[in-house]
Amino acid sequence: MERSPSSPAFWRSPLRGPWFTSLLGVVLLAGITVLFVTGLLSYAAYNPDLSPVNDKTPDKGVLGFYLFPWPTDPPWLYRLTQGVHVTLGIALVPVLLAKLWSVVPRLFQLPPARSVAHALERLSLLLLVGGVLFEFVTGVLNIQLDYVFPGSFYPLHFYGAWVFFAAFAVHVVLRAPTAVRNLRRMRAGDEGAAPPVSAEEPSLVSPDPAEPTVSRRGAVWLVGGGSLLLLGTTVGRNFDGPARRTALLTPHGGAEPGSGPNGFQINKTAAARGISAAETSEEAWRLVVTGPSGTVRLSRAELARLPLHSAALPIACVEGWSTSDQWWRGVRLRDLAALVGHEPDTAPDVLVESLQRHGAFRRAALRANQVRDPRSLLALDVNGERLSPDHGHPARIIVPAAPGVLNTKWVARMTFGDLR
Ligand SMILES: Nc1nc2c(c(=O)[nH]1)N[C@H]1C(S)=C(S)[C@@H](COP(=O)(O)O)O[C@H]1N2
Ligand SMILES: [Mo]
């Protein structure tokens, strides 16, 4: 018997078959749809249409058609959407790998195409498999290895998502009916009798199966167990305290947060961002606020004499980690707008700039709805204590429901109005 990979007999696992592929396919259909939607939401949450400063994919063109002003309610919105995006993405890795394994004989199928339609379908599979690997690899590298594609991650992951999802939609339209039929048969217990998907497509069932090393049920448990294990060692990154320590798969560049009022996750430390104690001292640091009535300069002591307000808000990072609510205390953004000539209720967008001179996230634009929300603060304190240098002393932004990246630390300048 011929034993090259292009021959069906080369592939001998008795597990391969329509039932396994269909089961994994249906799980991925649901899971990847959630990943796509939460991913698009994450992009919208950055306010990319607000200012060139925020836009990580300047040539998004029509792909930005759906962008909308990200709301400030509920305050845990981004914590939820991005926690789901990252946690689910990681948990689906075993399902994805098993799915690709289950159809790998098709990769070697000869001749490569039997008709124009078949050639087009195989081309869409190339985009599908290439796209899904690309999205999972860039996503996992970004969260595990601390931005290996600085800056360019966003366009890569964003365009990759659209290319992949287009191929995915074609694939689902072509294959979902078969997958559902296979699963029905499987339930009815006669999946062995499943015919090949089409005359052009040889069956995934090996014509010469080896002895099974794991039962079907065992195989499903293996994949599901792998997913549960990843889920269990990832989900803790969405909580503080002991739960966070269960997040074994969360290597993170930031410093150990320690304990006490400032003892919650730190993304980039003051040292890592080149922020010195000298430039944040009471003598040196001034906040510069600009608006239609001119420019106001305030020391931290002067800020602390303005009306101070508190809000319980989380920090939720694009990397899929988040903190529980922290109690922030500081000056309302709407009150700062009022200092430079705006009405609090009609305050406009604001550009926030940090003392930080190099690296990402040193400036961000906030939308009017975020500025006007009475819970949006330029925080001076957290949990009853002065902000630590790593959490943004002398002052940082905190906005309900916004991605962490918009919560600029070590704020130096705020410009209300025309951001362009
Ligand atoms: N100036 C400045 N602000 C910044 C950052 C930064 O690198 N520089 N990181 C942002 C990101 S990506 C996140 S998730 C939050 C994290 O805040 P924390 O370190 O206080 O938890 O700060 C944001 N503010
Ligand atoms: Mo972040």
Side-chain angles (χ1 to χ4, degrees):
M1 193 178 292
E2 190 197 348
R3 281 292 154 95
S4 87
S6 65
S7 133
F10 177 87
W11 305 95
R12 300 196 57 203
S13 171
L15 281 177
R16 278 204 189 82
W19 71 276
F20 197 47
T21 298
S22 300
L23 181 65
L24 298 166
V26 166
V27 172
L28 286 176
L29 169 60
I32 286 179
T33 302
V34 173
L35 289 184
F36 186 63
V37 171
T38 51
L40 292 187
L41 289 178
S42 180
Y43 184 58
Y46 275 63
N47 294 340
D49 52 341
L50 185 57
S51 140
V53 165
N54 287 21
D55 197 346
K56 304 292 197 288
T57 56
D59 302 316
K60 60 190 176 294
V62 291
L63 297 183
F65 72 91
Y66 71 95
L67 294 175
F68 59 97
W70 187 249
T72 53
D73 267 304
W76 39 262
L77 183 62
Y78 192 73
R79 208 181 161 198
L80 178 72
T81 62
Q82 194 62 6
V84 166
H85 185 74
V86 170
T87 309
L88 181 63
I90 290 175
L92 283 178
V93 167
V95 183
L96 175 68
L97 294 179
K99 173 76 161 63
L100 293 177
W101 173 85
S102 80
V103 295
V104 78
R106 296 246 166 98
L107 192 67
F108 295 91
Q109 189 186 320
L110 287 176
R114 286 160 213 266
S115 64
V116 175
H118 188 221
L120 285 177
E121 205 217 318
R122 294 205 77 186
L123 193 70
S124 84
L125 285 180
L126 206 67
L127 293 179
L128 183 76
V129 175
V132 81
L133 288 175
F134 183 81
E135 287 302 282
F136 274 77
V137 168
T138 52
V140 169
L141 285 181
N142 194 58
I143 53 183
Q144 301 299 108
L145 295 183
D146 206 30
Y147 309 107
V148 272
F149 319 94
S152 57
F153 167 75
Y154 299 87
L156 288 176
H157 204 63
F158 180 76
Y159 292 126
W162 279 106
V163 170
F164 162 73
F165 203 76
F168 184 67
V170 170
H171 184 71
V172 168
V173 167
L174 292 177
R175 292 306 170 88
T178 314
V180 170
R181 213 181 317 123
N182 286 337
L183 289 180
R184 289 233 175 87
R185 270 207 201 97
M186 177 180 152
R187 276 242 201 87
D190 63 351
E191 74 280 4
V197 180
S198 77
E200 288 181 335
E201 199 99 298
S203 169
L204 288 166
V205 176
S206 173
D208 179 21
E211 278 300 303
T213 48
V214 57
S215 69
R216 288 184 165 191
R217 194 176 286 264
V220 172
W221 272 110
L222 205 65
V223 177
S227 282
L228 285 176
L229 192 70
L230 287 174
L231 185 71
T233 48
T234 301
V235 74
R237 65 165 78 199
N238 294 291
F239 304 94
D240 298 331
R244 182 165 238 106
R245 265 172 262 135
T246 65
L248 303 176
L249 289 179
T250 311
H252 196 277
E256 270 303 308
S259 56
N262 274 281
F264 56 95
Q265 175 105 28
I266 296 158
N267 188 344
K268 291 282 188 256
T269 62
R273 288 312 199 190
I275 307 294
S276 70
E279 61 187 334
T280 55
S281 70
E282 184 60 36
E283 298 71 45
W285 184 82
R286 293 292 179 273
L287 174 72
V288 180
V289 189
T290 304
S293 69
T295 294
V296 176
R297 301 167 73 86
L298 296 155
S299 69
R300 191 178 181 281
E302 288 166 331
L303 274 172
R305 284 195 292 273
L306 296 175
L308 298 182
H309 298 271
S310 295
L313 300 170
I315 287 192
C317 182
V318 64
E319 294 172 339
W321 60 262
S322 56
T323 71
S324 317
D325 286 354
Q326 313 294 329
W327 275 99
W328 307 90
R329 188 157 171 271
V331 182
R332 286 178 171 160
L333 301 187
R334 47 187 281 137
D335 291 350
L336 289 169
L339 279 185
V340 290
H342 290 288
E343 284 298 319
D345 286 332
T346 53
D349 310 335
V350 66
L351 176 65
V352 181
E353 295 170 276
S354 167
L355 280 177
Q356 185 188 325
R357 278 162 301 268
H358 306 287
F361 314 142
R362 60 184 186 276
R363 351 175 253 176
L366 300 171
R367 204 185 296 272
N369 69 313
Q370 295 171 317
V371 172
R372 293 172 196 171
D373 193 299
R375 295 162 299 177
S376 297
L377 303 174
L378 180 70
L380 306 176
D381 303 326
V382 66
N383 300 320
E385 194 179 79
R386 205 184 82 164
L387 286 174
S388 69
D390 290 337
H391 282 305
H393 172 79
R396 78 163 311 154
I397 299 288
I398 186 80
V399 170
V405 63
L406 297 184
N407 295 323
T408 307
K409 303 196 278 193
W410 316 293
V411 173
R413 259 179 307 282
M414 298 177 69
T415 311
F416 287 91
D418 192 15
L419 302 190
R420 269 151 228 278

